Amino acid sequence: MKAATRSSLNKMKRIVIKVGTSTLMYPNGKLNLQRIEKLAFVLTDLKNQGKEVILVSSGAIGVGCHRLNLTKRPATIPEQQAIAAVGQSELMNLYSQFFGNYGQIVGQLLLTRDIIDYPKSRNNVINTFEQLLKQGIIPVVNENDTVAVEELDHLTKFGDNDRLSAIVSELVTADLLIMLSDIDGFYNDNPTTNPAATLFSDIHAITPELVTLAGGNGSEFGTGGMATKLKAAHHVLEQNGQMILANGADPTIIFDIINGEQIGTHFRALKEVD
């Protein structure tokens, strides 16, 4: 079936961009400063175009490991929480510097899952987002790794930032979620081991068959995998939203996505097809 046109993406105003640890760091655990700088450039330019931009960024533990010269993600929760405290500070310092080079102010929001369960907390978070966007500030969101134990217990997938980005998209009623990863989109097999793997251009529902195709965990310093991205897409589709999963190796790909080019995998409900 021919892929549906994506020309409507150019009209999207409120956009959530999620970047994973693998986008911000090299496989050797060092910071990928070039990508972080490009990301700041792209998001600032989108903001200058009149878009409302929210960045959901992983990387606190990965950056913390880099800062403390650790070669592996620690196994115990107290160690991870301590490293996340260091890494989150370092990460926001980097974002402030790079976005500042383009005259863009950013603001940090550290969230925990319970905000969606308590109406007053939920409303307060929504109000904070709205006020930041109203003042032209780009919110930079991460889960509060120093207290959010569920994310750090890698025996479970609950609390990963893929899901967080979908929840943020719901909270701010985003028009589009762009999830940048280290893969070009969702495939019917692992493209790193099967050159014949086929990319899904459009997905309209998360079926059991797709869940079976999803792989395991993500990078050494991250927590996400393809399964968590499908769960995030399912959440977005339940909210009648749209999501693009694409490769974040070059953040300027976001411009091409917004311009409607056939890049990555487009998740949207069938009734949204042009």
Side-chain angles (χ1 to χ4, degrees), residues 16-256:
V16 175
I17 291 95
K18 188 266 177 180
V19 294
T21 303
S22 62
T23 298
L24 303 176
M25 305 188 71
Y26 291 107
N28 63 6
K30 302 293 184 182
L31 292 171
N32 192 327
L33 298 175
Q34 178 180 220
R35 280 190 194 162
I36 299 174
E37 193 277 334
K38 279 188 177 181
L39 183 66
F41 162 73
V42 171
L43 300 195
T44 300
D45 195 72
L46 288 181
K47 165 72 172 36
N48 291 345
Q49 293 176 31
K51 309 289 188 185
E52 293 178 327
V53 179
I54 299 100
L55 173 62
V56 176
S57 174
S58 300
I61 291 180
V63 173
C65 287
H66 172 265
R67 184 68 178 86
L68 298 172
N69 297 315
L70 300 177
T71 57
K72 288 187 177 180
R73 179 187 176 105
T76 71
I77 289 175
E79 286 178 303
Q80 292 176 12
Q81 291 176 323
I83 289 166
V86 173
Q88 187 62 38
S89 175
E90 292 287 319
L91 185 60
M92 279 309 300
N93 184 43
L94 286 169
Y95 280 135
S96 293
Q97 288 184 45
F98 282 119
F99 277 96
N101 289 338
Y102 300 103
Q104 177 61 51
I105 299 174
V106 295
Q108 175 179 256
L109 278 82
L110 296 178
L111 306 181
T112 53
R113 187 179 182 275
D114 56 2
I115 64 162
I116 67 171
D117 297 325
Y118 298 94
K120 187 172 182 179
S121 298
R122 183 187 182 97
N123 288 337
N124 285 340
V125 170
I126 291 172
N127 291 339
T128 300
F129 273 118
E130 294 295 340
Q131 192 58 225
L132 287 169
L133 294 172
K134 181 179 179 180
Q135 295 186 25
I137 298 167
I138 292 180
V140 179
V141 188
N142 196 357
E143 185 155 3
N144 192 341
D145 289 344
T146 60
V147 297
V149 174
E150 293 88 353
E151 177 183 2
L152 301 168
D153 179 0
H154 34 248
L155 295 176
T156 73
K157 298 287 195 301
F158 179 80
D160 59 87
N161 274 3
D162 292 334
R163 177 170 171 78
L164 174 62
S165 67
I167 292 173
V168 168
S169 297
E170 176 189 355
L171 291 173
V172 303
T173 319
D175 298 310
L176 177 67
L177 167 61
I178 299 176
M179 188 174 293
L180 298 182
S181 183
D182 54 2
I183 195 169
D184 292 340
F186 189 80
Y187 287 81
N188 66 347
D189 199 0
N190 187 344
T192 60
T193 57
N194 180 8
T198 302
L199 175 71
F200 288 86
S201 179
D202 294 274
I203 291 177
H204 307 301
I206 308 305
T207 64
E209 290 76 17
L210 291 178
V211 173
T212 301
L213 291 175
N217 292 330
S219 66
E220 169 71 22
F221 294 95
T223 58
M226 198 53 63
T228 67
K229 289 165 179 53
L230 279 191
K231 289 179 182 178
H234 178 69
H235 190 94
V236 169
L237 291 177
E238 282 189 325
Q239 304 302 317
N240 295 316
Q242 299 188 42
M243 172 180 140
I244 298 282
L245 174 62
N247 198 315
D250 183 355
T252 59
I253 197 175
I254 293 172
F255 291 137
D256 298 327

